[in-house]
Amino acid sequence: MPALRVFPDEQSGAVYAAAVMDRVMQARRSPVFGLATGSTQIPLYRQLVRMHRQGLSFATVTTINLDEYVGLSTQSPGSFSAYMERNFFRHVDIPPGARHLPQGDAPDLAAECLRYDALLSTHRLDLQLLGIGINGHIGFNEPSTSLSLKTHVVALQDETILRNSSDFPDGSNVPRQAITVGLQSIFAARTILLLAFGRDKAEAVAESVCGQVRTSCPASLLQLHPRVTYVLDAAAAGRLPDAGRLLALEEAAW
Ligand code: GLP
């Protein structure tokens, strides 16, 4: 069963997650972080940028992102590459050569997936950050009858496309495919932090924590990993049987 930390709001959850990352950075000479995108991660990146301005250096960090939309270049504003640049990379001192994302506009997507797996095989993730889709996806590993272990091209589900459409306000087409790492590299991470904030994540959180382990809820597989912590706000924890007690514990500790 994953560890659960329930905070009064997303800001205090983000402060906690950033402190965990800081601890990893202090403990390891060349820390490797698996990074995620999505609105959930923004308060965390803001907090990390704040810590950088107060003196925390990321100069020895390597980052490997989970996913990228197929067909988008790094310059495209809706790409995860642009998101990372806007929200994190341009504000901190991670060397450009140590920041990795799948290349969404690679001419040969199969070769790009192999390249990414080769990269992951030489960089053990100290910590993997995750969000969760309302359908229980992690990275872009969508619910299915079977799940891929390796980096692969995935056809996004309609509800995912609909939800992501807010990142493409200019009317450009929302990508229907993505490159995502598979479950193998997520599972190879020493530690996993899954962040979820807001009431619309409550169902997916409860299903993945308390439901049966099944491919139709990819996040439920995290029950099999030995070091997973869910970082939640009260709303996202709302459907967990123990939410009230967990929140009280956290408030007492702060
Ligand atoms: C995105 C990403 C996931 C992310 C999830 C939730 O599409 N591929 O890595 O965790 O969907 O996004 P959000 O945080 O915006 O709700």
Side-chain angles (χ1 to χ4, degrees), residues 3-254:
L4 303 171
R5 303 293 301 260
V6 183
F7 296 88
D9 50 50
E10 61 179 51
Q11 180 53 31
S12 35
V15 168
Y16 169 79
V20 172
M21 293 176 77
D22 187 7
R23 271 207 301 279
V24 171
M25 289 166 65
Q26 306 315 321
R28 305 203 82 84
R29 196 172 310 151
S30 309
V32 184
F33 291 134
L35 298 185
T37 51
S39 53
T40 308
Q41 312 297 332
I42 287 179
L44 169 58
Y45 291 130
R46 283 210 186 110
Q47 175 63 13
L48 291 170
V49 169
R50 229 173 266 133
M51 289 160 72
H52 175 64
R53 291 182 179 147
Q54 291 161 355
L56 178 67
S57 173
F58 293 84
T60 61
V61 168
T62 296
T63 63
I64 305 183
N65 267 75
L66 283 166
D67 44 18
E68 179 59 282
Y69 290 116
V70 165
L72 298 195
S73 73
T74 54
Q75 312 303 325
S76 171
S79 70
F80 288 155
S81 176
Y83 165 108
M84 290 307 301
E85 191 58 34
R86 245 186 344 259
N87 293 300
F88 191 42
F89 291 154
R90 76 159 63 129
H91 308 287
V92 296
D93 59 344
I94 303 169
R99 315 161 177 178
H100 304 280
L101 283 100
Q103 189 192 333
D105 61 350
D108 181 343
L109 292 173
E112 177 58 10
C113 292
L114 291 175
R115 179 192 74 82
Y116 218 63
D117 278 333
L119 173 77
L120 285 158
S121 70
T122 54
H123 291 79
R124 170 104 192 257
L125 301 175
D126 293 305
L127 184 143
Q128 174 70 65
L129 273 182
L130 293 175
I132 185 169
I134 46 175
N135 62 6
H137 75 217
I138 46 177
F140 267 138
N141 292 277
E142 294 276 43
S144 173
T145 50
S146 65
L147 296 173
S148 302
L149 290 176
K150 302 287 189 182
T151 301
H152 57 285
V153 173
V154 60
L156 300 176
Q157 296 189 356
D158 289 344
E159 58 187 323
T160 303
I161 294 169
L162 186 67
R163 220 184 132 89
N164 294 345
S165 57
S166 57
D167 295 332
F168 297 86
D170 56 350
S172 57
N173 286 338
V174 186
R176 308 191 72 82
Q177 286 186 304
I179 302 179
T180 182
V181 304
L183 291 165
Q184 180 167 305
S185 64
I186 294 174
F187 265 76
R190 290 179 216 277
T191 306
I192 297 176
L193 279 190
L194 185 148
L195 276 57
F197 302 130
R199 206 172 48 184
D200 59 346
K201 297 293 173 74
E203 187 72 31
V205 165
E207 275 304 308
S208 66
V209 173
C210 309
Q212 285 189 322
V213 175
R214 58 195 197 281
T215 58
S216 57
C217 177
S220 69
L221 273 83
L222 297 173
Q223 292 178 35
L224 303 172
H225 190 285
R227 284 174 60 100
V228 179
T229 300
Y230 276 55
V231 179
L232 307 171
D233 66 358
R239 298 192 68 132
L240 291 170
D242 237 5
R245 189 182 64 81
L246 292 165
L247 177 59
L249 275 178
E250 207 61 60
E251 284 181 323
W254 277 66

